[in-house]
Amino acid sequence: MLNLDPDRFQAIQSGALALAPAIDEAIATRLNAGVRNLFFLGTGGAAILMQPAAQILQRRSGLPVFTDVTAELVSAGHPALGQGSLVVIPSVSGTTKESVAALGFARERGADVLALVGHDGTPLALQASQAFINFADDQTAPESLYLQSLLVALSVMAHRGEFAAYTETVRELSLLPRLLIAAKQSFAAEAERLATALAPETYHIVTGAGGSWAPAWYVSMCVLEEQQWLRTRPVHAADFFHGTFELVETGVSVIVLKGEDHARPLCERAEAFARRFTDRLTVLDAAAVELEGLSPATRALISPVILSTLLERLTVHLAVKRNHPLDQRRYYRKVSY
């Protein structure tokens, strides 16, 4: 497959899931010690990847869970952050300056910090209370970090008596790396077809909700904008009809991501509107992906993972069609900012 090493991909995602026992032990230790709240932080795309896990806990758990912009947190503070706070900070590089600053800020206030990083020996890995290391890169980070943060959320709920299916769900998730490769293979021809259609477009409206909102936001900002220099308008499907829908007309590209959770009807509403008013509609549906051995309940938890694995194939083909490699940047690591 184009620019994909299946064995490497499976090893990275299997590595993320292999962290389940260590993550579960760390969560149990912190909860037994009296954790009173949980913060999912991070910077840029890594912060976006924490959103689904945070939302699962906010909707299903009685533990107070917060998300924030790391740079603003350090500047303004947060009244709930301190002794008894558990903070989760992801960074593939382990060097993201805003996240390193947030880690220091949190620990100075007595918080316990878990880091999800791709490289050992980096500032985040060394300065966190505990670090979980699993190598990843731009192509493999979304699935890896989604899965690690999901393991955190499921463990929290399990130990609080809020999720009885923890063991079975983790068992099902262990099947996922192989299934995701099969999904990429099945989607290959469609990914190339969609990339051919999307290649001439210079502006995209991208929408999703629930588990599909984070990948919509992530692909807009971190791939289409940063890696392809395309103008995008990421908009939550619940907000689509409060402004952005007025921009939809013939010739406007609208990309709808549909998950398998409670928010699917919001995405379908935006899809139905776009079908009426533009001839440039692209829909990626997690429910269309065959994942043998996964229950509907587990599938609903991993919509962001499924959609990210499809988007990776689509954007790899798009980069080729546009003759714009994904690592071609203007300013990243070239200009001080």
Side-chain angles (χ1 to χ4, degrees), residues 158-289:
H159 287 291
R160 286 174 51 85
E162 298 165 332
F163 186 68
Y166 175 83
T167 301
E168 178 59 22
T169 301
V170 172
R171 186 200 67 77
E172 288 186 25
L173 290 176
S174 69
L175 305 174
L176 200 52
R178 174 182 58 81
L179 295 173
L180 291 177
I181 285 295
K184 288 178 184 290
Q185 292 170 334
S186 298
F187 186 61
E190 179 68 0
E192 184 172 11
R193 185 191 71 79
L194 291 174
T196 300
L198 291 170
E201 308 296 336
T202 58
Y203 167 68
H204 302 276
I205 295 170
V206 189
T207 190
S212 71
W213 167 233
W217 187 6
Y218 183 91
V219 77
S220 296
M221 185 173 80
C222 299
V223 182
L224 298 180
E225 291 181 350
E226 181 180 339
Q227 299 178 5
Q228 287 295 289
W229 307 351
L230 290 166
R231 292 172 175 82
T232 70
R233 172 62 168 103
V235 57
H236 194 286
D239 294 326
F240 183 84
F241 295 96
H242 298 276
T244 307
F245 73 134
E246 292 287 357
L247 301 177
V248 177
E249 61 185 359
T250 299
V252 173
S253 172
V254 177
I255 301 173
V256 178
L257 305 186
K258 296 163 59 175
E260 298 181 72
D261 56 15
H262 62 280
R264 185 177 177 90
L266 299 177
C267 305
E268 292 177 332
R269 183 184 178 210
E271 176 190 5
F273 179 89
R275 287 195 185 281
R276 292 177 59 194
F277 295 105
T278 184
D279 57 345
R280 299 287 192 273
L281 173 63
T282 302
V283 178
L284 295 187
D285 187 354
V289 178

Side-chain angles (χ1 to χ4, degrees), residues 2-39:
L2 182 64
N3 295 340
L4 178 69
D5 181 337
D7 292 336
R8 181 174 180 272
F9 175 85
Q10 288 190 70
I12 289 170
Q13 308 313 325
S14 295
L17 291 166
L19 292 170
I23 288 174
D24 189 52
E25 181 180 359
I27 294 300
T29 299
R30 270 69 178 190
L31 289 175
N32 290 335
V35 162
R36 60 185 176 85
N37 60 42
L38 174 61
F39 282 76

Side-chain angles (χ1 to χ4, degrees), residues 255-333:
I255 301 173
V256 178
L257 305 186
K258 296 163 59 175
E260 298 181 72
D261 56 15
H262 62 280
R264 185 177 177 90
L266 299 177
C267 305
E268 292 177 332
R269 183 184 178 210
E271 176 190 5
F273 179 89
R275 287 195 185 281
R276 292 177 59 194
F277 295 105
T278 184
D279 57 345
R280 299 287 192 273
L281 173 63
T282 302
V283 178
L284 295 187
D285 187 354
V289 178
E290 183 176 345
L291 297 170
E292 184 178 355
L294 269 59
S295 65
T298 298
R299 289 184 64 116
L301 292 170
I302 61 168
S303 288
V305 180
I306 301 169
L307 291 166
S308 291
T309 225
L310 300 183
L311 285 165
E312 184 273 330
R313 288 292 83 198
L314 173 57
T315 53
V316 163
H317 281 280
L318 182 63
V320 171
K321 302 296 182 184
R322 298 186 69 247
N323 192 29
H324 187 124
L326 292 169
D327 60 357
Q328 182 179 338
R329 315 288 177 83
R330 285 195 184 99
Y331 309 119
Y332 184 62
R333 292 180 179 164

